[in-house]
Amino acid sequence: MVFKYGIDRLTVAKALALANGDLKGILTNEAIFNITQSCSYVDEIVDKNKVVYGINTGFGPLCDTLISASDTAKLQHNLLMSHAVGVGEFVSTEISKIMLIIKLHALCLGYSGIRLSTIERIHWFIEKDILPCVPAQGSVGASGDLAPLSHLFLPLIGLGNVYYKGRMSDTGDVLRQENIEPLQLGPKEGLALINGTQFIAAHAVHALARFHNALDAADLIGAMSLEGLMGSSKPFDPRLHELRPFPGNRFVASRIWALLAESEIIQSHVNCDRIQDPYSLRCIPQVHGASRTAWLHLKQLTEIELNSVTDNPVILGSLDTISGGNFHGQPLAIPLDYATVAAAELGNISDRRSYLIIEGRYGLPKLLIKNAGLNSGFMIPQYTTAALVSENKGLCFPASADSIPTSLGQEDHVSMGSISGRKLNKVIENLEYILAIELLYATQALDFRHPIRSTSVLEACHSFVRSQVAYAEEDRIFSTDIQHLKNLIASGKFVARANEVALKYQINLNDKDYEQFQLS
């Protein structure tokens, strides 16, 4: 199976598959025709000395400065060097590769005036898994992600650093080893390369996959906590959610309802005198469901962006160019900030369930350990969830609410979408730790309910955790357990195990009516 750059529709799942090698990307004759035709328009503009921004003018506030035809190549070379001003840690190799993939697809749409040889070189870097070192900080998300994209494409001209065979190397050395000459950029090429939102979009793609996994894990762990606390399944009754039919709420409720069906633990207290559960149990569909809705919104908008032309100017013909603002990051910056709040809230409610479990209510021992006093038990891991939840709340200030003018006022409103994308991924990382601690607690709580059993899926989740982390009879260093469970969640193995058992027992956790919530 192959993906045709510039022809097929790029989705989040396909971008990830291209990045991890499960899907091969190719250049077709149709895409090559579109690329070469667009490039011919730029050549004609240069030959006829028609003044077009970025082709034979300076950039930003220098847009009125004309550049001679003989200097156009130098202009593009200087552009990449002068805009490579990123600082801080490098983004992951996965994000760097996704950036290349998204940019290549956008350029292959045939509106950027870039040469086929440059397209082929970008494709070569992707296929060879030679990935540019891109600093995480420096983009304001306005004329696109200028600084990170400049670093991304310095290797085309033999500059900067790349990850090569598992280590960071000088690009010039790598090209010599590969017997490849650096490119000489043509008219408009530097501008086409660094104008665009691919840094923001790549962070969105990466976050959508992690967030989707965390959402699935949160439903499973929340159901385990509910069983450990002997909560009621009634708040998940589908009839209730037909009366307030938000798709995300209905989806989560149907999942929990299926997870709890035929639970011995539920049946053991069906006639108890508890009237209502605390909100962190009873309102899982409403809270998790709202976060699902935010995820869906970000997915929909990201996939529009993945298939868009976001550089400037857009080349429609030799006498038809448009200098606009498709590079502005606001369309993704706002939903990224929205998703950040949604991810933080998933951690917020998880912390509350963890707190409930160690309170010593509903037949569980205080601090989840039999000999409390001599042992602090599970008191302190909840301090960590509290700290992470608080940190996430601080990260929820929307980066898109800020704007600082740049480029001598030419770029007088910027999106700060790159910061939105980075913050979302940090919140999700914290969320994975928060969920790991709730999973640690919920698994211990279920131990106190045995020999009464939960359902096949939730008992399989319990056994899977116990294969990694032992039951706690007394105090030990819990940070090791937390890290194990965080890795189990973040890797997708925990959710995969639950889905495997659900499939075996024909338990439908992902109703066909809710395909929109799948990462496809």
Side-chain angles (χ1 to χ4, degrees), residues 5-22:
Y5 285 110
I7 305 300
D8 291 341
R9 183 174 181 272
L10 186 59
T11 66
V12 170
K14 287 178 181 176
L16 292 165
L18 286 164
N20 62 33
D22 291 337

Side-chain angles (χ1 to χ4, degrees), residues 338-359:
Y338 170 29
T340 300
V341 173
E345 276 302 286
L346 209 61
N348 202 349
I349 195 171
S350 172
D351 166 73
R352 292 299 81 210
R353 290 192 294 263
S354 290
Y355 191 89
L356 274 177
I357 291 173
I358 60 173
E359 275 191 308

Side-chain angles (χ1 to χ4, degrees), residues 37-59:
Q37 184 178 57
S38 180
C39 184
S40 72
Y41 294 149
V42 172
D43 290 339
E44 193 173 345
I45 289 168
V46 174
D47 290 343
K48 292 184 176 180
N49 207 27
K50 177 178 169 58
V51 178
V52 175
Y53 171 73
I55 295 178
N56 44 27
T57 75
F59 307 107

